[in-house]
Amino acid sequence: MLRISVLVSGGGTNLQAVIDGIESGFIKNARIGLVISSNPNAYSLKRAKKHNIKTVIIGKTNYPEQEVRTKAIIAALHDAKTDLVILAGYMSILDQSLVEAYRGRIINIHPSLIPQFCGPGFYGKRVHESVLASGASETGATVHYVDEGVDTGPIILQEKVPVLEGDTADILADRVLETEHKILAEAVNIVIASIQQE
Ligand code: GAR
């Protein structure tokens, strides 16, 4: 049984997609051992508690120093015997030491077709505002491995989503989220299969 830790900052619909994937049996041979939130008020924490998943808050509020914060995250992942880390709406950039400690074992969901609309400054609603401002007719979602860069690691799965007339950033975000939930669960299965073959 592979142990997943999920890092979150907000609402946690992607966390929910992983929880649902495991509970429905779509994601096999895995369980979520820990949810780490950078934000003490994240709704993600309520979702985790509802499913009896252990939670811990490690963010700028309780760990203002970046190096100490990263050490706390690594220690929590280690204590939870983490095999796979999922960044699910996690709004911080990982320190190199964390990427090194879990190299090839960290994946991220991003709400665009990487390499478009990604990198520093492109997160959450800002991504969709930029897509709309560009006049693009399609966007999408990407799950990728995390390396030292921002949204630069190898892509696991990517799927297109149309931009429709009259879209606002919120409407587009909701449409992209549906695709995120689908490809995140699929990508988790792909990564689990590859870890099991190691
Ligand atoms: C999702 O759209 C996720 O892809 C995005 O934040 C949202 C979180 O939603 N992540 C990023 O922008 C990271 N660069 P959720 O909390 O409901 O999963």
Side-chain angles (χ1 to χ4, degrees), residues 162-187:
V163 177
L164 302 177
E165 222 175 286
D167 272 355
T168 62
D170 285 330
I171 292 172
L172 184 56
D174 283 346
R175 190 177 310 121
V176 172
L177 269 176
E178 283 180 33
T179 295
E180 290 184 44
H181 302 158
K182 176 175 158 271
I183 67 168
L184 180 57
E186 291 169 357

mmCIF file with all atom_site columns, all heavy atoms in Angstrom, residues 162-187:
data_model
loop_
_atom_site.group_PDB
_atom_site.id
_atom_site.type_symbol
_atom_site.label_atom_id
_atom_site.label_alt_id
_atom_site.label_comp_id
_atom_site.label_asym_id
_atom_site.label_entity_id
_atom_site.label_seq_id
_atom_site.pdbx_PDB_ins_code
_atom_site.Cartn_x
_atom_site.Cartn_y
_atom_site.Cartn_z
_atom_site.occupancy
_atom_site.B_iso_or_equiv
_atom_site.pdbx_formal_charge
_atom_site.auth_seq_id
_atom_site.auth_comp_id
_atom_site.auth_asym_id
_atom_site.auth_atom_id
_atom_site.pdbx_PDB_model_num
ATOM 1   N N   . PRO A 1 162 ? -11.796 23.729 -23.966 1.00 0.00 ? 162 PRO A N   1
ATOM 2   C CA  . PRO A 1 162 ? -12.086 24.886 -24.819 1.00 0.00 ? 162 PRO A CA  1
ATOM 3   C C   . PRO A 1 162 ? -12.345 26.157 -24.003 1.00 0.00 ? 162 PRO A C   1
ATOM 4   O O   . PRO A 1 162 ? -12.871 26.093 -22.893 1.00 0.00 ? 162 PRO A O   1
ATOM 5   C CB  . PRO A 1 162 ? -13.366 24.463 -25.562 1.00 0.00 ? 162 PRO A CB  1
ATOM 6   C CG  . PRO A 1 162 ? -14.014 23.453 -24.684 1.00 0.00 ? 162 PRO A CG  1
ATOM 7   C CD  . PRO A 1 162 ? -12.896 22.748 -23.953 1.00 0.00 ? 162 PRO A CD  1
ATOM 8   N N   . VAL A 1 163 ? -11.966 27.289 -24.596 1.00 0.00 ? 163 VAL A N   1
ATOM 9   C CA  . VAL A 1 163 ? -12.377 28.586 -24.049 1.00 0.00 ? 163 VAL A CA  1
ATOM 10  C C   . VAL A 1 163 ? -13.617 28.979 -24.834 1.00 0.00 ? 163 VAL A C   1
ATOM 11  O O   . VAL A 1 163 ? -13.607 28.944 -26.066 1.00 0.00 ? 163 VAL A O   1
ATOM 12  C CB  . VAL A 1 163 ? -11.264 29.646 -24.240 1.00 0.00 ? 163 VAL A CB  1
ATOM 13  C CG1 . VAL A 1 163 ? -11.732 31.008 -23.736 1.00 0.00 ? 163 VAL A CG1 1
ATOM 14  C CG2 . VAL A 1 163 ? -9.983  29.216 -23.543 1.00 0.00 ? 163 VAL A CG2 1
ATOM 15  N N   . LEU A 1 164 ? -14.713 29.320 -24.147 1.00 0.00 ? 164 LEU A N   1
ATOM 16  C CA  . LEU A 1 164 ? -15.970 29.613 -24.833 1.00 0.00 ? 164 LEU A CA  1
ATOM 17  C C   . LEU A 1 164 ? -16.312 31.100 -24.729 1.00 0.00 ? 164 LEU A C   1
ATOM 18  O O   . LEU A 1 164 ? -15.856 31.801 -23.812 1.00 0.00 ? 164 LEU A O   1
ATOM 19  C CB  . LEU A 1 164 ? -17.092 28.764 -24.237 1.00 0.00 ? 164 LEU A CB  1
ATOM 20  C CG  . LEU A 1 164 ? -16.858 27.237 -24.290 1.00 0.00 ? 164 LEU A CG  1
ATOM 21  C CD1 . LEU A 1 164 ? -18.011 26.486 -23.610 1.00 0.00 ? 164 LEU A CD1 1
ATOM 22  C CD2 . LEU A 1 164 ? -16.674 26.751 -25.728 1.00 0.00 ? 164 LEU A CD2 1
ATOM 23  N N   . GLU A 1 165 ? -17.110 31.529 -25.686 1.00 0.00 ? 165 GLU A N   1
ATOM 24  C CA  . GLU A 1 165 ? -17.506 32.943 -25.696 1.00 0.00 ? 165 GLU A CA  1
ATOM 25  C C   . GLU A 1 165 ? -18.248 33.279 -24.397 1.00 0.00 ? 165 GLU A C   1
ATOM 26  O O   . GLU A 1 165 ? -19.070 32.477 -23.931 1.00 0.00 ? 165 GLU A O   1
ATOM 27  C CB  . GLU A 1 165 ? -18.436 33.169 -26.896 1.00 0.00 ? 165 GLU A CB  1
ATOM 28  C CG  . GLU A 1 165 ? -18.123 34.463 -27.617 1.00 0.00 ? 165 GLU A CG  1
ATOM 29  C CD  . GLU A 1 165 ? -18.971 34.592 -28.860 1.00 0.00 ? 165 GLU A CD  1
ATOM 30  O OE1 . GLU A 1 165 ? -18.681 33.875 -29.830 1.00 0.00 ? 165 GLU A OE1 1
ATOM 31  O OE2 . GLU A 1 165 ? -19.932 35.402 -28.823 1.00 0.00 ? 165 GLU A OE2 1
ATOM 32  N N   . GLY A 1 166 ? -17.947 34.418 -23.836 1.00 0.00 ? 166 GLY A N   1
ATOM 33  C CA  . GLY A 1 166 ? -18.624 34.832 -22.606 1.00 0.00 ? 166 GLY A CA  1
ATOM 34  C C   . GLY A 1 166 ? -17.965 34.296 -21.345 1.00 0.00 ? 166 GLY A C   1
ATOM 35  O O   . GLY A 1 166 ? -18.419 34.593 -20.236 1.00 0.00 ? 166 GLY A O   1
ATOM 36  N N   . ASP A 1 167 ? -16.895 33.513 -21.487 1.00 0.00 ? 167 ASP A N   1
ATOM 37  C CA  . ASP A 1 167 ? -16.209 32.983 -20.298 1.00 0.00 ? 167 ASP A CA  1
ATOM 38  C C   . ASP A 1 167 ? -15.667 34.115 -19.421 1.00 0.00 ? 167 ASP A C   1
ATOM 39  O O   . ASP A 1 167 ? -15.072 35.073 -19.931 1.00 0.00 ? 167 ASP A O   1
ATOM 40  C CB  . ASP A 1 167 ? -15.007 32.105 -20.714 1.00 0.00 ? 167 ASP A CB  1
ATOM 41  C CG  . ASP A 1 167 ? -15.391 30.653 -20.934 1.00 0.00 ? 167 ASP A CG  1
ATOM 42  O OD1 . ASP A 1 167 ? -16.564 30.293 -20.678 1.00 0.00 ? 167 ASP A OD1 1
ATOM 43  O OD2 . ASP A 1 167 ? -14.514 29.872 -21.359 1.00 0.00 ? 167 ASP A OD2 1
ATOM 44  N N   . THR A 1 168 ? -15.844 33.965 -18.118 1.00 0.00 ? 168 THR A N   1
ATOM 45  C CA  . THR A 1 168 ? -15.104 34.789 -17.158 1.00 0.00 ? 168 THR A CA  1
ATOM 46  C C   . THR A 1 168 ? -14.013 33.882 -16.590 1.00 0.00 ? 168 THR A C   1
ATOM 47  O O   . THR A 1 168 ? -14.044 32.657 -16.817 1.00 0.00 ? 168 THR A O   1
ATOM 48  C CB  . THR A 1 168 ? -16.017 35.246 -16.006 1.00 0.00 ? 168 THR A CB  1
ATOM 49  O OG1 . THR A 1 168 ? -16.474 34.059 -15.331 1.00 0.00 ? 168 THR A OG1 1
ATOM 50  C CG2 . THR A 1 168 ? -17.206 36.053 -16.509 1.00 0.00 ? 168 THR A CG2 1
ATOM 51  N N   . ALA A 1 169 ? -13.100 34.461 -15.839 1.00 0.00 ? 169 ALA A N   1
ATOM 52  C CA  . ALA A 1 169 ? -12.030 33.634 -15.260 1.00 0.00 ? 169 ALA A CA  1
ATOM 53  C C   . ALA A 1 169 ? -12.633 32.556 -14.355 1.00 0.00 ? 169 ALA A C   1
ATOM 54  O O   . ALA A 1 169 ? -12.162 31.417 -14.342 1.00 0.00 ? 169 ALA A O   1
ATOM 55  C CB  . ALA A 1 169 ? -11.061 34.515 -14.486 1.00 0.00 ? 169 ALA A CB  1
ATOM 56  N N   . ASP A 1 170 ? -13.692 32.894 -13.631 1.00 0.00 ? 170 ASP A N   1
ATOM 57  C CA  . ASP A 1 170 ? -14.304 31.908 -12.722 1.00 0.00 ? 170 ASP A CA  1
ATOM 58  C C   . ASP A 1 170 ? -14.980 30.773 -13.487 1.00 0.00 ? 170 ASP A C   1
ATOM 59  O O   . ASP A 1 170 ? -14.864 29.604 -13.105 1.00 0.00 ? 170 ASP A O   1
ATOM 60  C CB  . ASP A 1 170 ? -15.333 32.586 -11.803 1.00 0.00 ? 170 ASP A CB  1
ATOM 61  C CG  . ASP A 1 170 ? -14.658 33.399 -10.713 1.00 0.00 ? 170 ASP A CG  1
ATOM 62  O OD1 . ASP A 1 170 ? -13.545 33.014 -10.307 1.00 0.00 ? 170 ASP A OD1 1
ATOM 63  O OD2 . ASP A 1 170 ? -15.233 34.423 -10.293 1.00 0.00 ? 170 ASP A OD2 1
ATOM 64  N N   . ILE A 1 171 ? -15.686 31.130 -14.557 1.00 0.00 ? 171 ILE A N   1
ATOM 65  C CA  . ILE A 1 171 ? -16.372 30.093 -15.361 1.00 0.00 ? 171 ILE A CA  1
ATOM 66  C C   . ILE A 1 171 ? -15.325 29.170 -15.987 1.00 0.00 ? 171 ILE A C   1
ATOM 67  O O   . ILE A 1 171 ? -15.449 27.944 -15.957 1.00 0.00 ? 171 ILE A O   1
ATOM 68  C CB  . ILE A 1 171 ? -17.260 30.750 -16.444 1.00 0.00 ? 171 ILE A CB  1
ATOM 69  C CG1 . ILE A 1 171 ? -18.440 31.479 -15.796 1.00 0.00 ? 171 ILE A CG1 1
ATOM 70  C CG2 . ILE A 1 171 ? -17.756 29.714 -17.461 1.00 0.00 ? 171 ILE A CG2 1
ATOM 71  C CD1 . ILE A 1 171 ? -19.270 32.324 -16.759 1.00 0.00 ? 171 ILE A CD1 1
ATOM 72  N N   . LEU A 1 172 ? -14.278 29.778 -16.539 1.00 0.00 ? 172 LEU A N   1
ATOM 73  C CA  . LEU A 1 172 ? -13.224 28.985 -17.186 1.00 0.00 ? 172 LEU A CA  1
ATOM 74  C C   . LEU A 1 172 ? -12.507 28.114 -16.146 1.00 0.00 ? 172 LEU A C   1
ATOM 75  O O   . LEU A 1 172 ? -12.220 26.928 -16.399 1.00 0.00 ? 172 LEU A O   1
ATOM 76  C CB  . LEU A 1 172 ? -12.237 29.919 -17.890 1.00 0.00 ? 172 LEU A CB  1
ATOM 77  C CG  . LEU A 1 172 ? -11.128 29.273 -18.702 1.00 0.00 ? 172 LEU A CG  1
ATOM 78  C CD1 . LEU A 1 172 ? -11.686 28.315 -19.758 1.00 0.00 ? 172 LEU A CD1 1
ATOM 79  C CD2 . LEU A 1 172 ? -10.261 30.342 -19.366 1.00 0.00 ? 172 LEU A CD2 1
ATOM 80  N N   . ALA A 1 173 ? -12.254 28.693 -14.960 1.00 0.00 ? 173 ALA A N   1
ATOM 81  C CA  . ALA A 1 173 ? -11.580 27.924 -13.894 1.00 0.00 ? 173 ALA A CA  1
ATOM 82  C C   . ALA A 1 173 ? -12.382 26.673 -13.546 1.00 0.00 ? 173 ALA A C   1
ATOM 83  O O   . ALA A 1 173 ? -11.812 25.590 -13.390 1.00 0.00 ? 173 ALA A O   1
ATOM 84  C CB  . ALA A 1 173 ? -11.403 28.794 -12.656 1.00 0.00 ? 173 ALA A CB  1
ATOM 85  N N   . ASP A 1 174 ? -13.702 26.812 -13.460 1.00 0.00 ? 174 ASP A N   1
ATOM 86  C CA  . ASP A 1 174 ? -14.557 25.661 -13.116 1.00 0.00 ? 174 ASP A CA  1
ATOM 87  C C   . ASP A 1 174 ? -14.496 24.588 -14.195 1.00 0.00 ? 174 ASP A C   1
ATOM 88  O O   . ASP A 1 174 ? -14.458 23.397 -13.889 1.00 0.00 ? 174 ASP A O   1
ATOM 89  C CB  . ASP A 1 174 ? -16.009 26.102 -12.921 1.00 0.00 ? 174 ASP A CB  1
ATOM 90  C CG  . ASP A 1 174 ? -16.210 26.787 -11.576 1.00 0.00 ? 174 ASP A CG  1
ATOM 91  O OD1 . ASP A 1 174 ? -15.301 26.671 -10.725 1.00 0.00 ? 174 ASP A OD1 1
ATOM 92  O OD2 . ASP A 1 174 ? -17.250 27.440 -11.379 1.00 0.00 ? 174 ASP A OD2 1
ATOM 93  N N   . ARG A 1 175 ? -14.495 25.021 -15.480 1.00 0.00 ? 175 ARG A N   1
ATOM 94  C CA  . ARG A 1 175 ? -14.430 24.043 -16.573 1.00 0.00 ? 175 ARG A CA  1
ATOM 95  C C   . ARG A 1 175 ? -13.082 23.318 -16.558 1.00 0.00 ? 175 ARG A C   1
ATOM 96  O O   . ARG A 1 175 ? -13.017 22.105 -16.728 1.00 0.00 ? 175 ARG A O   1
ATOM 97  C CB  . ARG A 1 175 ? -14.663 24.748 -17.932 1.00 0.00 ? 175 ARG A CB  1
ATOM 98  C CG  . ARG A 1 175 ? -14.850 23.762 -19.083 1.00 0.00 ? 175 ARG A CG  1
ATOM 99  C CD  . ARG A 1 175 ? -15.163 24.459 -20.411 1.00 0.00 ? 175 ARG A CD  1
ATOM 100 N NE  . ARG A 1 175 ? -16.223 25.425 -20.299 1.00 0.00 ? 175 ARG A NE  1
ATOM 101 C CZ  . ARG A 1 175 ? -16.088 26.729 -20.583 1.00 0.00 ? 175 ARG A CZ  1
ATOM 102 N NH1 . ARG A 1 175 ? -14.974 27.196 -21.075 1.00 0.00 ? 175 ARG A NH1 1
ATOM 103 N NH2 . ARG A 1 175 ? -17.097 27.542 -20.432 1.00 0.00 ? 175 ARG A NH2 1
ATOM 104 N N   . VAL A 1 176 ? -12.011 24.083 -16.320 1.00 0.00 ? 176 VAL A N   1
ATOM 105 C CA  . VAL A 1 176 ? -10.673 23.466 -16.278 1.00 0.00 ? 176 VAL A CA  1
ATOM 106 C C   . VAL A 1 176 ? -10.565 22.519 -15.074 1.00 0.00 ? 176 VAL A C   1
ATOM 107 O O   . VAL A 1 176 ? -9.976  21.439 -15.178 1.00 0.00 ? 176 VAL A O   1
ATOM 108 C CB  . VAL A 1 176 ? -9.570  24.552 -16.249 1.00 0.00 ? 176 VAL A CB  1
ATOM 109 C CG1 . VAL A 1 176 ? -8.202  23.931 -16.006 1.00 0.00 ? 176 VAL A CG1 1
ATOM 110 C CG2 . VAL A 1 176 ? -9.568  25.348 -17.554 1.00 0.00 ? 176 VAL A CG2 1
ATOM 111 N N   . LEU A 1 177 ? -11.167 22.919 -13.950 1.00 0.00 ? 177 LEU A N   1
ATOM 112 C CA  . LEU A 1 177 ? -11.095 22.072 -12.739 1.00 0.00 ? 177 LEU A CA  1
ATOM 113 C C   . LEU A 1 177 ? -11.657 20.675 -12.987 1.00 0.00 ? 177 LEU A C   1
ATOM 114 O O   . LEU A 1 177 ? -11.101 19.684 -12.507 1.00 0.00 ? 177 LEU A O   1
ATOM 115 C CB  . LEU A 1 177 ? -11.845 22.720 -11.571 1.00 0.00 ? 177 LEU A CB  1
ATOM 116 C CG  . LEU A 1 177 ? -11.028 23.636 -10.646 1.00 0.00 ? 177 LEU A CG  1
ATOM 117 C CD1 . LEU A 1 177 ? -11.939 24.282 -9.613  1.00 0.00 ? 177 LEU A CD1 1
ATOM 118 C CD2 . LEU A 1 177 ? -9.877  22.901 -9.959  1.00 0.00 ? 177 LEU A CD2 1
ATOM 119 N N   . GLU A 1 178 ? -12.756 20.604 -13.753 1.00 0.00 ? 178 GLU A N   1
ATOM 120 C CA  . GLU A 1 178 ? -13.340 19.275 -14.029 1.00 0.00 ? 178 GLU A CA  1
ATOM 121 C C   . GLU A 1 178 ? -12.311 18.377 -14.711 1.00 0.00 ? 178 GLU A C   1
ATOM 122 O O   . GLU A 1 178 ? -12.197 17.187 -14.388 1.00 0.00 ? 178 GLU A O   1
ATOM 123 C CB  . GLU A 1 178 ? -14.574 19.410 -14.934 1.00 0.00 ? 178 GLU A CB  1
ATOM 124 C CG  . GLU A 1 178 ? -15.794 19.892 -14.193 1.00 0.00 ? 178 GLU A CG  1
ATOM 125 C CD  . GLU A 1 178 ? -16.999 20.009 -15.105 1.00 0.00 ? 178 GLU A CD  1
ATOM 126 O OE1 . GLU A 1 178 ? -17.117 19.210 -16.056 1.00 0.00 ? 178 GLU A OE1 1
ATOM 127 O OE2 . GLU A 1 178 ? -17.812 20.923 -14.873 1.00 0.00 ? 178 GLU A OE2 1
ATOM 128 N N   . THR A 1 179 ? -11.571 18.961 -15.654 1.00 0.00 ? 179 THR A N   1
ATOM 129 C CA  . THR A 1 179 ? -10.529 18.193 -16.349 1.00 0.00 ? 179 THR A CA  1
ATOM 130 C C   . THR A 1 179 ? -9.351  17.897 -15.419 1.00 0.00 ? 179 THR A C   1
ATOM 131 O O   . THR A 1 179 ? -8.775  16.811 -15.451 1.00 0.00 ? 179 THR A O   1
ATOM 132 C CB  . THR A 1 179 ? -10.080 18.959 -17.613 1.00 0.00 ? 179 THR A CB  1
ATOM 133 O OG1 . THR A 1 179 ? -11.197 19.016 -18.488 1.00 0.00 ? 179 THR A OG1 1
ATOM 134 C CG2 . THR A 1 179 ? -8.923  18.283 -18.320 1.00 0.00 ? 179 THR A CG2 1
ATOM 135 N N   . GLU A 1 180 ? -9.018  18.863 -14.545 1.00 0.00 ? 180 GLU A N   1
ATOM 136 C CA  . GLU A 1 180 ? -7.938  18.619 -13.570 1.00 0.00 ? 180 GLU A CA  1
ATOM 137 C C   . GLU A 1 180 ? -8.243  17.388 -12.733 1.00 0.00 ? 180 GLU A C   1
ATOM 138 O O   . GLU A 1 180 ? -7.389  16.522 -12.523 1.00 0.00 ? 180 GLU A O   1
ATOM 139 C CB  . GLU A 1 180 ? -7.781  19.829 -12.636 1.00 0.00 ? 180 GLU A CB  1
ATOM 140 C CG  . GLU A 1 180 ? -7.207  21.057 -13.304 1.00 0.00 ? 180 GLU A CG  1
ATOM 141 C CD  . GLU A 1 180 ? -6.984  22.190 -12.309 1.00 0.00 ? 180 GLU A CD  1
ATOM 142 O OE1 . GLU A 1 180 ? -6.479  21.949 -11.199 1.00 0.00 ? 180 GLU A OE1 1
ATOM 143 O OE2 . GLU A 1 180 ? -7.327  23.342 -12.639 1.00 0.00 ? 180 GLU A OE2 1
ATOM 144 N N   . HIS A 1 181 ? -9.486  17.325 -12.241 1.00 0.00 ? 181 HIS A N   1
ATOM 145 C CA  . HIS A 1 181 ? -9.854  16.220 -11.340 1.00 0.00 ? 181 HIS A CA  1
ATOM 146 C C   . HIS A 1 181 ? -9.694  14.874 -12.044 1.00 0.00 ? 181 HIS A C   1
ATOM 147 O O   . HIS A 1 181 ? -9.227  13.901 -11.455 1.00 0.00 ? 181 HIS A O   1
ATOM 148 C CB  . HIS A 1 181 ? -11.294 16.385 -10.849 1.00 0.00 ? 181 HIS A CB  1
ATOM 149 C CG  . HIS A 1 181 ? -11.505 17.681 -10.127 1.00 0.00 ? 181 HIS A CG  1
ATOM 150 N ND1 . HIS A 1 181 ? -12.733 18.269 -9.981  1.00 0.00 ? 181 HIS A ND1 1
ATOM 151 C CD2 . HIS A 1 181 ? -10.615 18.519 -9.520  1.00 0.00 ? 181 HIS A CD2 1
ATOM 152 C CE1 . HIS A 1 181 ? -12.600 19.404 -9.317  1.00 0.00 ? 181 HIS A CE1 1
ATOM 153 N NE2 . HIS A 1 181 ? -11.330 19.574 -9.027  1.00 0.00 ? 181 HIS A NE2 1
ATOM 154 N N   . LYS A 1 182 ? -10.087 14.852 -13.322 1.00 0.00 ? 182 LYS A N   1
ATOM 155 C CA  . LYS A 1 182 ? -10.023 13.613 -14.098 1.00 0.00 ? 182 LYS A CA  1
ATOM 156 C C   . LYS A 1 182 ? -8.553  13.210 -14.339 1.00 0.00 ? 182 LYS A C   1
ATOM 157 O O   . LYS A 1 182 ? -8.156  12.077 -14.044 1.00 0.00 ? 182 LYS A O   1
ATOM 158 C CB  . LYS A 1 182 ? -10.755 13.835 -15.427 1.00 0.00 ? 182 LYS A CB  1
ATOM 159 C CG  . LYS A 1 182 ? -10.702 12.702 -16.394 1.00 0.00 ? 182 LYS A CG  1
ATOM 160 C CD  . LYS A 1 182 ? -11.569 13.012 -17.614 1.00 0.00 ? 182 LYS A CD  1
ATOM 161 C CE  . LYS A 1 182 ? -11.151 12.210 -18.801 1.00 0.00 ? 182 LYS A CE  1
ATOM 162 N NZ  . LYS A 1 182 ? -10.119 12.831 -19.625 1.00 0.00 ? 182 LYS A NZ  1
ATOM 163 N N   . ILE A 1 183 ? -7.745  14.158 -14.847 1.00 0.00 ? 183 ILE A N   1
ATOM 164 C CA  . ILE A 1 183 ? -6.369  13.760 -15.207 1.00 0.00 ? 183 ILE A CA  1
ATOM 165 C C   . ILE A 1 183 ? -5.499  13.566 -13.971 1.00 0.00 ? 183 ILE A C   1
ATOM 166 O O   . ILE A 1 183 ? -4.542  12.808 -14.017 1.00 0.00 ? 183 ILE A O   1
ATOM 167 C CB  . ILE A 1 183 ? -5.696  14.702 -16.237 1.00 0.00 ? 183 ILE A CB  1
ATOM 168 C CG1 . ILE A 1 183 ? -5.429  16.087 -15.671 1.00 0.00 ? 183 ILE A CG1 1
ATOM 169 C CG2 . ILE A 1 183 ? -6.478  14.750 -17.529 1.00 0.00 ? 183 ILE A CG2 1
ATOM 170 C CD1 . ILE A 1 183 ? -4.502  16.924 -16.573 1.00 0.00 ? 183 ILE A CD1 1
ATOM 171 N N   . LEU A 1 184 ? -5.854  14.225 -12.852 1.00 0.00 ? 184 LEU A N   1
ATOM 172 C CA  . LEU A 1 184 ? -5.044  14.008 -11.644 1.00 0.00 ? 184 LEU A CA  1
ATOM 173 C C   . LEU A 1 184 ? -5.184  12.561 -11.175 1.00 0.00 ? 184 LEU A C   1
ATOM 174 O O   . LEU A 1 184 ? -4.186  11.897 -10.888 1.00 0.00 ? 184 LEU A O   1
ATOM 175 C CB  . LEU A 1 184 ? -5.432  14.995 -10.533 1.00 0.00 ? 184 LEU A CB  1
ATOM 176 C CG  . LEU A 1 184 ? -4.631  14.844 -9.242  1.00 0.00 ? 184 LEU A CG  1
ATOM 177 C CD1 . LEU A 1 184 ? -3.120  14.990 -9.486  1.00 0.00 ? 184 LEU A CD1 1
ATOM 178 C CD2 . LEU A 1 184 ? -5.076  15.861 -8.185  1.00 0.00 ? 184 LEU A CD2 1
ATOM 179 N N   . ALA A 1 185 ? -6.420  12.077 -11.121 1.00 0.00 ? 185 ALA A N   1
ATOM 180 C CA  . ALA A 1 185 ? -6.633  10.684 -10.688 1.00 0.00 ? 185 ALA A CA  1
ATOM 181 C C   . ALA A 1 185 ? -5.936  9.713  -11.649 1.00 0.00 ? 185 ALA A C   1
ATOM 182 O O   . ALA A 1 185 ? -5.296  8.747  -11.216 1.00 0.00 ? 185 ALA A O   1
ATOM 183 C CB  . ALA A 1 185 ? -8.130  10.388 -10.603 1.00 0.00 ? 185 ALA A CB  1
ATOM 184 N N   . GLU A 1 186 ? -6.023  10.005 -12.952 1.00 0.00 ? 186 GLU A N   1
ATOM 185 C CA  . GLU A 1 186 ? -5.366  9.131  -13.943 1.00 0.00 ? 186 GLU A CA  1
ATOM 186 C C   . GLU A 1 186 ? -3.844  9.170  -13.777 1.00 0.00 ? 186 GLU A C   1
ATOM 187 O O   . GLU A 1 186 ? -3.175  8.137  -13.843 1.00 0.00 ? 186 GLU A O   1
ATOM 188 C CB  . GLU A 1 186 ? -5.741  9.567  -15.371 1.00 0.00 ? 186 GLU A CB  1
ATOM 189 C CG  . GLU A 1 186 ? -7.204  9.295  -15.709 1.00 0.00 ? 186 GLU A CG  1
ATOM 190 C CD  . GLU A 1 186 ? -7.659  9.957  -17.016 1.00 0.00 ? 186 GLU A CD  1
ATOM 191 O OE1 . GLU A 1 186 ? -6.856  10.679 -17.651 1.00 0.00 ? 186 GLU A OE1 1
ATOM 192 O OE2 . GLU A 1 186 ? -8.828  9.764  -17.378 1.00 0.00 ? 186 GLU A OE2 1
ATOM 193 N N   . ALA A 1 187 ? -3.327  10.376 -13.556 1.00 0.00 ? 187 ALA A N   1
ATOM 194 C CA  . ALA A 1 187 ? -1.869  10.529 -13.407 1.00 0.00 ? 187 ALA A CA  1
ATOM 195 C C   . ALA A 1 187 ? -1.373  9.819  -12.149 1.00 0.00 ? 187 ALA A C   1
ATOM 196 O O   . ALA A 1 187 ? -0.296  9.219  -12.155 1.00 0.00 ? 187 ALA A O   1
ATOM 197 C CB  . ALA A 1 187 ? -1.498  12.012 -13.362 1.00 0.00 ? 187 ALA A CB  1
#
